[in-house]
mmCIF file of all heavy atoms in Angstrom:
data_model
loop_
_atom_site.group_PDB
_atom_site.id
_atom_site.type_symbol
_atom_site.label_atom_id
_atom_site.label_comp_id
_atom_site.label_asym_id
_atom_site.label_seq_id
_atom_site.Cartn_x
_atom_site.Cartn_y
_atom_site.Cartn_z
ATOM 1 N N THR A 1 6.523 2.258 -1.676
ATOM 2 C CA THR A 1 5.733 1.024 -1.699
ATOM 3 C C THR A 1 4.239 1.329 -1.642
ATOM 4 O O THR A 1 3.429 0.682 -2.324
ATOM 5 C CB THR A 1 6.134 0.115 -0.521
ATOM 6 O OG1 THR A 1 7.548 -0.073 -0.545
ATOM 7 C CG2 THR A 1 5.443 -1.240 -0.623
ATOM 8 N N ALA A 2 3.865 2.334 -0.838
ATOM 9 C CA ALA A 2 2.451 2.720 -0.766
ATOM 10 C C ALA A 2 1.966 3.265 -2.108
ATOM 11 O O ALA A 2 0.840 2.975 -2.541
ATOM 12 C CB ALA A 2 2.252 3.761 0.335
ATOM 13 N N ALA A 3 2.820 4.053 -2.773
ATOM 14 C CA ALA A 3 2.441 4.587 -4.087
ATOM 15 C C ALA A 3 2.284 3.466 -5.100
ATOM 16 O O ALA A 3 1.332 3.447 -5.902
ATOM 17 C CB ALA A 3 3.496 5.583 -4.568
ATOM 18 N N GLU A 4 3.200 2.498 -5.067
ATOM 19 C CA GLU A 4 3.084 1.372 -5.991
ATOM 20 C C GLU A 4 1.818 0.559 -5.703
ATOM 21 O O GLU A 4 1.134 0.113 -6.640
ATOM 22 C CB GLU A 4 4.320 0.468 -5.897
ATOM 23 C CG GLU A 4 4.271 -0.668 -6.907
ATOM 24 C CD GLU A 4 5.470 -1.591 -6.844
ATOM 25 O OE1 GLU A 4 6.375 -1.341 -6.010
ATOM 26 O OE2 GLU A 4 5.518 -2.572 -7.624
ATOM 27 N N ALA A 5 1.504 0.370 -4.422
ATOM 28 C CA ALA A 5 0.291 -0.365 -4.063
ATOM 29 C C ALA A 5 -0.938 0.318 -4.647
ATOM 30 O O ALA A 5 -1.826 -0.344 -5.218
ATOM 31 C CB ALA A 5 0.177 -0.463 -2.546
ATOM 32 N N TYR A 6 -0.996 1.635 -4.524
ATOM 33 C CA TYR A 6 -2.145 2.387 -5.045
ATOM 34 C C TYR A 6 -2.256 2.217 -6.561
ATOM 35 O O TYR A 6 -3.353 1.953 -7.104
ATOM 36 C CB TYR A 6 -1.989 3.865 -4.676
ATOM 37 C CG TYR A 6 -3.031 4.754 -5.301
ATOM 38 C CD1 TYR A 6 -4.347 4.768 -4.833
ATOM 39 C CD2 TYR A 6 -2.713 5.576 -6.378
ATOM 40 C CE1 TYR A 6 -5.311 5.582 -5.425
ATOM 41 C CE2 TYR A 6 -3.663 6.387 -6.969
ATOM 42 C CZ TYR A 6 -4.961 6.385 -6.489
ATOM 43 O OH TYR A 6 -5.914 7.187 -7.077
ATOM 44 N N LEU A 7 -1.146 2.364 -7.253
ATOM 45 C CA LEU A 7 -1.183 2.263 -8.708
ATOM 46 C C LEU A 7 -1.485 0.833 -9.160
ATOM 47 O O LEU A 7 -2.195 0.621 -10.158
ATOM 48 C CB LEU A 7 0.148 2.740 -9.292
ATOM 49 C CG LEU A 7 0.425 4.253 -9.145
ATOM 50 C CD1 LEU A 7 1.857 4.586 -9.539
ATOM 51 C CD2 LEU A 7 -0.566 5.062 -9.993
ATOM 52 N N ARG A 8 -0.974 -0.177 -8.445
ATOM 53 C CA ARG A 8 -1.296 -1.570 -8.775
ATOM 54 C C ARG A 8 -2.793 -1.837 -8.606
ATOM 55 O O ARG A 8 -3.412 -2.532 -9.412
ATOM 56 C CB ARG A 8 -0.508 -2.527 -7.875
ATOM 57 C CG ARG A 8 0.993 -2.524 -8.079
ATOM 58 C CD ARG A 8 1.387 -3.204 -9.359
ATOM 59 N NE ARG A 8 2.846 -3.186 -9.510
ATOM 60 C CZ ARG A 8 3.474 -3.483 -10.647
ATOM 61 N NH1 ARG A 8 2.772 -3.808 -11.732
ATOM 62 N NH2 ARG A 8 4.788 -3.432 -10.717
ATOM 63 N N GLU A 9 -3.359 -1.278 -7.531
ATOM 64 C CA GLU A 9 -4.801 -1.463 -7.336
ATOM 65 C C GLU A 9 -5.587 -0.830 -8.477
ATOM 66 O O GLU A 9 -6.532 -1.431 -9.007
ATOM 67 C CB GLU A 9 -5.240 -0.865 -6.003
ATOM 68 C CG GLU A 9 -6.733 -1.036 -5.763
ATOM 69 C CD GLU A 9 -7.234 -0.395 -4.475
ATOM 70 O OE1 GLU A 9 -6.405 0.172 -3.729
ATOM 71 O OE2 GLU A 9 -8.463 -0.457 -4.228
ATOM 72 N N ARG A 10 -5.213 0.371 -8.870
ATOM 73 C CA ARG A 10 -5.918 1.042 -9.974
ATOM 74 C C ARG A 10 -5.755 0.274 -11.290
ATOM 75 O O ARG A 10 -6.622 0.325 -12.165
ATOM 76 C CB ARG A 10 -5.401 2.464 -10.139
ATOM 77 C CG ARG A 10 -5.832 3.405 -9.020
ATOM 78 C CD ARG A 10 -5.815 4.860 -9.462
ATOM 79 N NE ARG A 10 -6.699 5.051 -10.591
ATOM 80 C CZ ARG A 10 -6.389 5.751 -11.685
ATOM 81 N NH1 ARG A 10 -5.197 6.306 -11.806
ATOM 82 N NH2 ARG A 10 -7.255 5.897 -12.663
ATOM 83 N N ASP A 11 -4.645 -0.459 -11.412
ATOM 84 C CA ASP A 11 -4.411 -1.242 -12.626
ATOM 85 C C ASP A 11 -5.088 -2.606 -12.568
ATOM 86 O O ASP A 11 -4.993 -3.396 -13.505
ATOM 87 C CB ASP A 11 -2.891 -1.410 -12.830
ATOM 88 C CG ASP A 11 -2.538 -1.905 -14.215
ATOM 89 O OD1 ASP A 11 -3.190 -1.462 -15.195
ATOM 90 O OD2 ASP A 11 -1.621 -2.738 -14.325
ATOM 91 N N GLY A 12 -5.749 -2.920 -11.436
ATOM 92 C CA GLY A 12 -6.504 -4.162 -11.319
ATOM 93 C C GLY A 12 -5.755 -5.316 -10.704
ATOM 94 O O GLY A 12 -6.318 -6.415 -10.556
ATOM 95 N N ASP A 13 -4.499 -5.143 -10.322
ATOM 96 C CA ASP A 13 -3.714 -6.233 -9.718
ATOM 97 C C ASP A 13 -3.914 -6.186 -8.205
ATOM 98 O O ASP A 13 -3.054 -5.697 -7.450
ATOM 99 C CB ASP A 13 -2.237 -6.072 -10.089
ATOM 100 C CG ASP A 13 -1.408 -7.296 -9.717
ATOM 101 O OD1 ASP A 13 -1.913 -8.150 -8.971
ATOM 102 O OD2 ASP A 13 -0.224 -7.355 -10.143
ATOM 103 N N LEU A 14 -5.044 -6.727 -7.733
ATOM 104 C CA LEU A 14 -5.413 -6.594 -6.321
ATOM 105 C C LEU A 14 -4.495 -7.395 -5.408
ATOM 106 O O LEU A 14 -4.198 -6.959 -4.289
ATOM 107 C CB LEU A 14 -6.866 -7.039 -6.120
ATOM 108 C CG LEU A 14 -7.931 -6.279 -6.925
ATOM 109 C CD1 LEU A 14 -9.325 -6.661 -6.448
ATOM 110 C CD2 LEU A 14 -7.728 -4.778 -6.843
ATOM 111 N N ALA A 15 -4.040 -8.545 -5.853
ATOM 112 C CA ALA A 15 -3.177 -9.371 -5.006
ATOM 113 C C ALA A 15 -1.854 -8.662 -4.722
ATOM 114 O O ALA A 15 -1.382 -8.601 -3.575
ATOM 115 C CB ALA A 15 -2.922 -10.718 -5.672
ATOM 116 N N ALA A 16 -1.247 -8.101 -5.767
ATOM 117 C CA ALA A 16 0.010 -7.376 -5.582
ATOM 118 C C ALA A 16 -0.212 -6.128 -4.729
ATOM 119 O O ALA A 16 0.603 -5.796 -3.857
ATOM 120 C CB ALA A 16 0.603 -6.991 -6.931
ATOM 121 N N ALA A 17 -1.341 -5.463 -4.972
ATOM 122 C CA ALA A 17 -1.631 -4.246 -4.211
ATOM 123 C C ALA A 17 -1.806 -4.559 -2.728
ATOM 124 O O ALA A 17 -1.286 -3.837 -1.862
ATOM 125 C CB ALA A 17 -2.882 -3.571 -4.758
ATOM 126 N N ALA A 18 -2.528 -5.638 -2.409
ATOM 127 C CA ALA A 18 -2.735 -6.004 -1.001
ATOM 128 C C ALA A 18 -1.400 -6.304 -0.323
ATOM 129 O O ALA A 18 -1.141 -5.873 0.812
ATOM 130 C CB ALA A 18 -3.664 -7.215 -0.910
ATOM 131 N N ARG A 19 -0.545 -7.045 -1.039
ATOM 132 C CA ARG A 19 0.767 -7.373 -0.469
ATOM 133 C C ARG A 19 1.591 -6.110 -0.232
ATOM 134 O O ARG A 19 2.228 -5.944 0.818
ATOM 135 C CB ARG A 19 1.504 -8.325 -1.418
ATOM 136 C CG ARG A 19 2.924 -8.642 -0.981
ATOM 137 C CD ARG A 19 3.591 -9.598 -1.961
ATOM 138 N NE ARG A 19 3.528 -9.132 -3.332
ATOM 139 C CZ ARG A 19 4.345 -8.191 -3.833
ATOM 140 N NH1 ARG A 19 5.266 -7.628 -3.060
ATOM 141 N NH2 ARG A 19 4.233 -7.832 -5.098
ATOM 142 N N LEU A 20 1.550 -5.201 -1.189
ATOM 143 C CA LEU A 20 2.344 -3.977 -1.086
ATOM 144 C C LEU A 20 1.802 -3.041 0.002
ATOM 145 O O LEU A 20 2.577 -2.386 0.708
ATOM 146 C CB LEU A 20 2.366 -3.258 -2.428
ATOM 147 C CG LEU A 20 3.201 -3.957 -3.516
ATOM 148 C CD1 LEU A 20 2.902 -3.373 -4.885
ATOM 149 C CD2 LEU A 20 4.691 -3.842 -3.192
ATOM 150 N N TYR A 21 0.472 -2.975 0.139
ATOM 151 C CA TYR A 21 -0.106 -2.159 1.229
ATOM 152 C C TYR A 21 0.374 -2.679 2.593
ATOM 153 O O TYR A 21 0.756 -1.901 3.475
ATOM 154 C CB TYR A 21 -1.629 -2.185 1.178
ATOM 155 C CG TYR A 21 -2.254 -1.198 0.228
ATOM 156 C CD1 TYR A 21 -3.241 -1.606 -0.689
ATOM 157 C CD2 TYR A 21 -1.907 0.138 0.262
ATOM 158 C CE1 TYR A 21 -3.829 -0.708 -1.562
ATOM 159 C CE2 TYR A 21 -2.499 1.057 -0.618
ATOM 160 C CZ TYR A 21 -3.454 0.629 -1.521
ATOM 161 O OH TYR A 21 -4.038 1.521 -2.384
ATOM 162 N N ALA A 22 0.353 -3.980 2.761
ATOM 163 C CA ALA A 22 0.797 -4.571 4.031
ATOM 164 C C ALA A 22 2.282 -4.299 4.270
ATOM 165 O O ALA A 22 2.709 -4.003 5.393
ATOM 166 C CB ALA A 22 0.519 -6.072 4.037
ATOM 167 N N GLU A 23 3.057 -4.383 3.206
ATOM 168 C CA GLU A 23 4.501 -4.105 3.321
ATOM 169 C C GLU A 23 4.739 -2.637 3.661
ATOM 170 O O GLU A 23 5.590 -2.315 4.500
ATOM 171 C CB GLU A 23 5.171 -4.467 1.997
ATOM 172 C CG GLU A 23 6.679 -4.304 1.994
ATOM 173 C CD GLU A 23 7.287 -4.659 0.642
ATOM 174 O OE1 GLU A 23 6.710 -5.525 -0.066
ATOM 175 O OE2 GLU A 23 8.321 -4.060 0.290
ATOM 176 N N ALA A 24 3.983 -1.748 3.027
ATOM 177 C CA ALA A 24 4.144 -0.312 3.278
ATOM 178 C C ALA A 24 3.773 0.041 4.708
ATOM 179 O O ALA A 24 4.366 0.948 5.313
ATOM 180 C CB ALA A 24 3.289 0.493 2.300
ATOM 181 N N ALA A 25 2.798 -0.661 5.265
ATOM 182 C CA ALA A 25 2.365 -0.373 6.642
ATOM 183 C C ALA A 25 3.508 -0.588 7.634
ATOM 184 O O ALA A 25 3.590 0.104 8.655
ATOM 185 C CB ALA A 25 1.173 -1.249 7.012
ATOM 186 N N LEU A 26 4.380 -1.536 7.340
ATOM 187 C CA LEU A 26 5.481 -1.851 8.264
ATOM 188 C C LEU A 26 6.469 -0.702 8.401
ATOM 189 O O LEU A 26 7.135 -0.570 9.426
ATOM 190 C CB LEU A 26 6.212 -3.114 7.800
ATOM 191 C CG LEU A 26 5.376 -4.404 7.770
ATOM 192 C CD1 LEU A 26 6.193 -5.552 7.184
ATOM 193 C CD2 LEU A 26 4.886 -4.751 9.170
ATOM 194 N N SER A 27 6.572 0.127 7.363
ATOM 195 C CA SER A 27 7.534 1.236 7.390
ATOM 196 C C SER A 27 6.850 2.599 7.440
ATOM 197 O O SER A 27 7.489 3.627 7.183
ATOM 198 C CB SER A 27 8.453 1.162 6.164
ATOM 199 O OG SER A 27 7.690 1.216 4.970
ATOM 200 N N ALA A 28 5.566 2.628 7.771
ATOM 201 C CA ALA A 28 4.839 3.898 7.829
ATOM 202 C C ALA A 28 5.437 4.811 8.897
ATOM 203 O O ALA A 28 5.822 4.348 9.968
ATOM 204 C CB ALA A 28 3.362 3.645 8.126
ATOM 205 N N PRO A 29 5.534 6.121 8.626
ATOM 206 C CA PRO A 29 6.197 7.029 9.567
ATOM 207 C C PRO A 29 5.372 7.399 10.789
ATOM 208 O O PRO A 29 5.899 7.962 11.740
ATOM 209 C CB PRO A 29 6.467 8.271 8.707
ATOM 210 C CG PRO A 29 5.406 8.236 7.655
ATOM 211 C CD PRO A 29 5.157 6.790 7.365
ATOM 212 N N ASN A 30 4.074 7.112 10.774
ATOM 213 C CA ASN A 30 3.249 7.428 11.936
ATOM 214 C C ASN A 30 2.096 6.433 12.038
ATOM 215 O O ASN A 30 1.785 5.711 11.079
ATOM 216 C CB ASN A 30 2.719 8.874 11.869
ATOM 217 C CG ASN A 30 1.986 9.158 10.572
ATOM 218 O OD1 ASN A 30 0.924 8.591 10.311
ATOM 219 N ND2 ASN A 30 2.550 10.027 9.740
ATOM 220 N N LEU A 31 1.473 6.417 13.204
ATOM 221 C CA LEU A 31 0.442 5.421 13.485
ATOM 222 C C LEU A 31 -0.794 5.569 12.592
ATOM 223 O O LEU A 31 -1.295 4.563 12.066
ATOM 224 C CB LEU A 31 0.049 5.481 14.963
ATOM 225 C CG LEU A 31 -0.928 4.400 15.448
ATOM 226 C CD1 LEU A 31 -0.358 3.009 15.201
ATOM 227 C CD2 LEU A 31 -1.241 4.597 16.933
ATOM 228 N N PRO A 32 -1.353 6.780 12.374
ATOM 229 C CA PRO A 32 -2.524 6.890 11.503
ATOM 230 C C PRO A 32 -2.264 6.354 10.093
ATOM 231 O O PRO A 32 -3.125 5.689 9.513
ATOM 232 C CB PRO A 32 -2.814 8.399 11.491
ATOM 233 C CG PRO A 32 -2.254 8.906 12.771
ATOM 234 C CD PRO A 32 -1.036 8.081 13.002
ATOM 235 N N GLU A 33 -1.081 6.625 9.563
ATOM 236 C CA GLU A 33 -0.766 6.142 8.214
ATOM 237 C C GLU A 33 -0.614 4.623 8.213
ATOM 238 O O GLU A 33 -1.060 3.937 7.283
ATOM 239 C CB GLU A 33 0.514 6.815 7.717
ATOM 240 C CG GLU A 33 0.786 6.581 6.248
ATOM 241 C CD GLU A 33 1.872 7.490 5.709
ATOM 242 O OE1 GLU A 33 2.099 8.574 6.282
ATOM 243 O OE2 GLU A 33 2.496 7.107 4.695
ATOM 244 N N ARG A 34 -0.007 4.097 9.267
ATOM 245 C CA ARG A 34 0.142 2.642 9.370
ATOM 246 C C ARG A 34 -1.223 1.959 9.424
ATOM 247 O O ARG A 34 -1.459 0.969 8.719
ATOM 248 C CB ARG A 34 0.958 2.306 10.625
ATOM 249 C CG ARG A 34 1.233 0.802 10.785
ATOM 250 C CD ARG A 34 1.987 0.552 12.087
ATOM 251 N NE ARG A 34 3.154 1.412 12.190
ATOM 252 C CZ ARG A 34 3.817 1.643 13.305
ATOM 253 N NH1 ARG A 34 3.422 1.091 14.444
ATOM 254 N NH2 ARG A 34 4.877 2.420 13.310
ATOM 255 N N ASP A 35 -2.115 2.520 10.225
ATOM 256 C CA ASP A 35 -3.453 1.940 10.332
ATOM 257 C C ASP A 35 -4.191 2.002 8.998
ATOM 258 O O ASP A 35 -4.885 1.059 8.611
ATOM 259 C CB ASP A 35 -4.257 2.666 11.411
ATOM 260 C CG ASP A 35 -3.745 2.373 12.812
ATOM 261 O OD1 ASP A 35 -2.986 1.399 12.965
ATOM 262 O OD2 ASP A 35 -4.102 3.120 13.739
ATOM 263 N N HIS A 36 -4.046 3.131 8.306
ATOM 264 C CA HIS A 36 -4.717 3.292 7.010
ATOM 265 C C HIS A 36 -4.230 2.242 6.015
ATOM 266 O O HIS A 36 -5.043 1.589 5.330
ATOM 267 C CB HIS A 36 -4.468 4.696 6.466
ATOM 268 C CG HIS A 36 -4.904 4.872 5.051
ATOM 269 N ND1 HIS A 36 -6.230 4.933 4.682
ATOM 270 C CD2 HIS A 36 -4.187 4.974 3.895
ATOM 271 C CE1 HIS A 36 -6.325 5.080 3.370
ATOM 272 N NE2 HIS A 36 -5.098 5.104 2.869
#
């Protein structure tokens, strides 16, 4: 999900990227990655 968020942002779809970043944060394996 984090990889898709990054690629969506680079493709200009900021709304989808923001949603995917937030979704990816929920399953992040550690706190620094979740915060990022």
